[in-house]
Amino acid sequence: MKLAQDIILRPIITESSMFGIQDKKYTFQVAKDANKIEIAQAAQELFGVKVKKVNTMNCRGRAKRVGQNVGKKPDWKKAIITLTEDSKAIEFFESMV
């Protein structure tokens, strides 16, 4: 069994993800092999919130080029976690809004 810290890797802080905070939607990079149930349980354990729904996306890594050498960034998985109406907000994001 994986730890919650191994499932939710880091928050994704973009202009688009900041607009979702008003609707209690938080965006994270998660482990590629994690499913929606594991992601919801990890968020509840780490942040002490109630999760209403989880949406996941597999993101393809971009091609990067340095001179003649062409490489590729790794593929990764993104999760948008929606909290219930009576749930409190995640403190980490509240300082940014």
Side-chain angles (χ1 to χ4, degrees), residues 21-56:
I21 291 177
Q22 290 134 9
D23 299 329
K24 294 200 173 192
K25 293 184 179 185
Y26 298 90
T27 309
F28 295 94
Q29 180 179 351
V30 296
K32 279 190 59 101
D33 59 344
N35 60 34
K36 291 182 179 187
I37 296 167
E38 291 172 339
I39 294 167
Q41 290 171 348
Q44 290 173 356
E45 181 182 326
L46 283 176
F47 306 115
V49 294
K50 294 179 185 173
V51 176
K52 180 178 179 181
K53 139 174 117 163
V54 176
N55 296 81
T56 59

Side-chain angles (χ1 to χ4, degrees), residues 45-96:
E45 181 182 326
L46 283 176
F47 306 115
V49 294
K50 294 179 185 173
V51 176
K52 180 178 179 181
K53 139 174 117 163
V54 176
N55 296 81
T56 59
M57 289 153 261
N58 287 311
C59 301
R60 193 174 304 163
R62 297 185 301 145
K64 289 293 282 186
R65 183 179 163 148
V66 179
Q68 293 179 347
N69 302 324
V70 178
K72 182 177 172 292
K73 289 204 166 195
D75 298 339
W76 55 287
K77 190 172 195 175
K78 175 166 66 171
I80 300 174
I81 299 172
T82 305
L83 304 181
T84 59
E85 293 298 321
D86 59 337
S87 181
K88 65 182 178 70
I90 297 176
E91 297 89 19
F92 175 79
F93 288 96
E94 289 305 310
S95 62
M96 296 183 179

